[in-house]
Amino acid sequence: MNTELYFIYDSHCPWSYAVTPLVNALQEAYPSMKVHLLHTALYEGKTSAGEEQMEAAARASGLKFGRDHIRYVNSPKNSTKTANLMGWLQSKQADKQLPVLNALQRAHFIEGNPLDTKHDFMDIVSDFKLSPSNKIFRDELSMDAEYVLEGIAEIQQMIGTTNFPALVMTVDDNAIFIDHSKYISSPHAVVDAVEKEIASFK
């Protein structure tokens, strides 16, 4: 059985943060599954998800948001450099994508790290022994990040929505669109649901 998981997200989106535990649960259940983390690079330093969305995501998921994140929750966010780093990781060290995303989200949503300058990333780069080039930390999207956006457009056309976060799992020639809202409060329940879907293919 050949399984792949596609997660369309933005590192600075509270709903994406709330859905990442589902990705973790699925990766744990299917350790050989290939995971594609596809960053939308939505935030360009002009807008933010804001307090209302953060509070709704917290209520739905039960996840905590740190005091420093809450303090600046309405300040404009910029996820360009994170999109570049994640695009680079996907092409160079794909096995580290999910642990790094978890660390980045913890830094942003718990510790209040804006992830907006090169310095903001240095602890995570060091912890995971990464070696991205300086161009990753420029203010424009890298070629790897642009390539990811092309992949997102193809998937969005297939599933008929540009909404994100979005989760799609492929099992051989079959695709399962996972409605994350059903499992956001109980991430491991998604594994049972997926197993039922897979059983129906046989």
Side-chain angles (χ1 to χ4, degrees), residues 9 13 23 28 46 63 93 140 147 168-171 180:
Y9 73 100
C13 159
V23 180
E28 193 179 312
K46 296 171 187 168
L63 289 177
Q93 292 179 276
E140 63 270 358
Y147 180 71
V168 179
M169 186 172 174
T170 60
V171 183
H180 59 79

Side-chain angles (χ1 to χ4, degrees), residues 68-200:
D68 285 337
H69 178 76
I70 294 167
R71 188 176 169 196
Y72 297 104
V73 69
N74 293 314
S75 301
K77 305 290 185 276
N78 192 327
S79 62
T80 302
K81 294 178 182 70
T82 316
N84 289 346
L85 179 63
M86 294 306 291
W88 174 83
L89 261 181
Q90 184 160 293
S91 66
K92 299 289 192 295
Q93 292 179 276
D95 59 314
K96 292 185 178 179
Q97 284 181 101
L98 190 51
V100 168
L101 176 60
N102 278 278
L104 288 166
Q105 288 178 324
R106 177 175 177 78
H108 184 64
F109 292 107
I110 302 292
E111 297 161 9
N113 183 333
L115 298 175
D116 192 24
T117 68
K118 180 181 177 181
H119 175 75
D120 295 338
F121 294 88
M122 287 303 97
D123 285 348
I124 289 171
V125 164
S126 172
D127 288 347
F128 287 93
K129 297 179 171 54
L130 308 178
S131 54
S133 67
N134 281 329
K135 63 185 178 184
I136 295 296
F137 302 107
R138 291 180 185 161
D139 285 327
E140 63 270 358
L141 288 175
S142 65
M143 285 181 63
D144 284 333
E146 293 278 9
Y147 180 71
V148 168
L149 290 179
E150 290 173 18
I152 289 173
E154 287 177 22
I155 293 169
Q156 288 175 333
Q157 192 170 8
M158 181 188 82
I159 62 179
T161 180
T162 57
N163 292 341
F164 79 93
L167 277 175
V168 179
M169 186 172 174
T170 60
V171 183
D172 297 328
D173 296 328
N174 301 291
I176 303 168
F177 176 71
I178 299 169
D179 181 356
H180 59 79
S181 66
K182 291 181 178 177
Y183 315 107
I184 204 166
S185 63
S186 179
H188 280 87
V190 75
V191 176
D192 292 337
V194 162
E195 285 176 353
K196 285 175 186 168
E197 287 265 11
I198 293 171
S200 72

